Amino acid sequence: MGPIGFWREIAALAAAIGVFAVIHPAGAQTPSSRIDEALQNITALVRPSRVGYATVWDGNKYVQCRRLSDRALRCEAAGATMQPSLTRILVPERQNRLATLGWTLDPSFGNYVQIFPPGMATASVADHILRTLIEVYDAQAPELELQTAWVVDIPCPPRNGPGQNLAGMVNDAPKMRATALRSCLYKPEPQPARIAASAQMLIEVYGTTVAAEIQRLRVNSDRKVYVVFSAGIGYIQCMPQTSPPTFYCEAQSAESWPALAAVLTPERVAKLRDAGYTEPGRAPNYSKSYPLGKFTDAAVASEILTLLYDVYGYAGAVELKISTE
């Protein structure tokens, strides 16, 4: 095959998945400088009625950025909602790492979002993106691919559909249109009940959802909001408090529902105490306060699900019921 045929094959392969990588000679640039160049490209090149997106990925692990009207950069890191295969990577420890690096869960599509201020140098943003991909997603820097693309400027641009390559990425490539998601949010189809054999398995099933509810409390900490996670027999409910800033949570006791006396054995109650929950007293339930500055949303979610599993025996035989105000 001659050089022209080779590049035709490369272009055809890229078109088949709806992306086209920016290819540079080996050793010409560092991964960070390539990302920086892509961010500069979507900043400098303005096309009427279109928005520039810079995407960097390794396999299905990606970060995608666009400029906002105030010149800030809004970036999304891939989540597990539309790419369930990422569940094996985005374990609670990795979700905590995302939070530490400044990423927050966006429940609209299940990706993690961070907005970089207008005055921040693109080189610094590029370093942060590379760090996220390597430290959280185990991306291989030499394998990173890049593209810049300009997509029609509408409130909810098309995204690669669930189960597709780079699911959740904004993309209007012709080859991806048949399976594109054209919506302002994605709600997965209900899944059959999955019996968890461990607390960790329960976290894999519900961790993202519970963390998003805890994040909602954090965002609305100055309002009267709450969330209840009910396991059918027993619940844990939480609300924000402002003085000091905490999540105040209660785990249901036998005092509030006598039927729990058969469930809350001394061994199980000991697990509540070990987690820092105090005995019923001022309230009829066990209670604990989580300082907002000390606990990430994912950490609180993981502890709640662990207690539902270890204390109340909830393994997911019925869907976790989540109630709010």
Side-chain angles (χ1 to χ4, degrees):
M1 179 185 296
I4 294 177
F6 171 78
W7 286 108
R8 283 177 178 166
E9 289 294 323
I10 292 294
L13 177 60
I17 64 172
V19 298
F20 194 87
V22 178
I23 301 174
H24 294 277
Q29 292 179 302
T30 65
S32 183
S33 67
R34 291 179 61 207
I35 298 171
D36 181 21
E37 183 181 57
L39 296 175
Q40 291 183 42
N41 185 219
I42 63 170
T43 301
L45 182 54
V46 178
R47 292 180 175 172
S49 302
R50 289 188 168 267
V51 176
Y53 288 85
T55 310
V56 54
W57 73 93
D58 174 17
N60 276 330
K61 300 167 283 189
Y62 67 84
V63 173
Q64 182 177 60
C65 301
R66 60 158 292 180
R67 280 287 181 191
L68 300 177
S69 58
D70 64 356
R71 309 299 286 172
L73 272 170
R74 184 184 190 276
C75 299
E76 294 187 18
T81 301
M82 295 184 67
Q83 293 195 79
S85 62
L86 289 181
T87 302
R88 294 188 294 272
I89 295 174
L90 296 177
V91 295
E93 292 78 11
R94 299 292 181 88
Q95 294 178 41
N96 290 342
R97 187 62 185 147
L98 278 168
T100 300
L101 290 172
W103 300 87
T104 58
L105 181 67
D106 178 4
S108 299
F109 297 98
N111 285 343
Y112 296 86
V113 173
Q114 184 163 178
I115 296 178
F116 299 94
M120 189 170 182
T122 53
S124 298
V125 178
D127 288 342
H128 195 77
I129 290 171
L130 182 62
R131 182 181 180 186
T132 298
L133 286 168
I134 292 174
E135 293 185 7
V136 177
Y137 294 90
D138 285 335
Q140 302 301 307
E143 304 299 324
L144 290 176
E145 300 180 73
L146 281 165
Q147 77 158 10
T148 56
W150 280 256
V151 178
V152 62
D153 187 8
I154 55 177
C156 303
R159 293 173 180 259
N160 290 354
Q164 303 300 311
N165 291 317
L166 301 169
M169 181 187 90
V170 173
N171 185 13
D172 65 353
K175 292 291 185 180
M176 301 299 288
R177 287 174 185 168
T179 56
L181 177 67
R182 300 178 183 277
S183 174
C184 292
L185 58 87
Y186 170 68
K187 186 175 182 180
E189 292 292 329
Q191 298 296 314
R194 177 182 170 188
I195 306 301
S198 66
Q200 181 57 45
M201 286 184 63
L202 192 65
I203 292 168
E204 290 175 3
V205 175
Y206 286 111
T208 299
T209 300
V210 174
E213 289 291 348
I214 297 300
Q215 182 190 39
R216 185 182 68 87
L217 300 185
R218 185 188 297 272
V219 171
N220 297 279
S221 60
D222 58 344
R223 299 176 55 216
K224 293 182 179 180
V225 294
Y226 67 86
V227 62
V228 182
F229 304 104
S230 178
I233 182 161
Y235 62 73
I236 294 178
Q237 59 186 4
C238 300
M239 62 180 289
Q241 292 184 330
T242 56
S243 184
T246 58
F247 296 122
Y248 172 76
C249 296
E250 291 187 359
Q252 192 175 22
S253 74
E255 291 187 21
S256 64
W257 189 23
L260 281 174
V263 175
L264 297 178
T265 62
E267 293 78 13
R268 290 186 171 187
V269 170
K271 292 181 182 294
L272 280 170
R273 294 196 194 98
D274 291 343
Y277 278 72
T278 59
E279 297 284 342
R282 293 180 59 188
N285 293 324
Y286 301 94
S287 62
K288 177 179 178 178
S289 292
Y290 297 83
L292 267 62
K294 182 178 179 181
F295 290 88
T296 65
D297 304 328
V300 176
S302 295
E303 182 161 288
I304 288 172
L305 289 166
T306 298
L307 292 174
L308 287 175
Y309 184 89
D310 289 342
V311 176
Y312 297 95
Y314 176 67
V318 295
E319 185 175 0
L320 182 66
K321 183 179 179 181
I322 300 176
S323 305
T324 62
E325 68 283 349

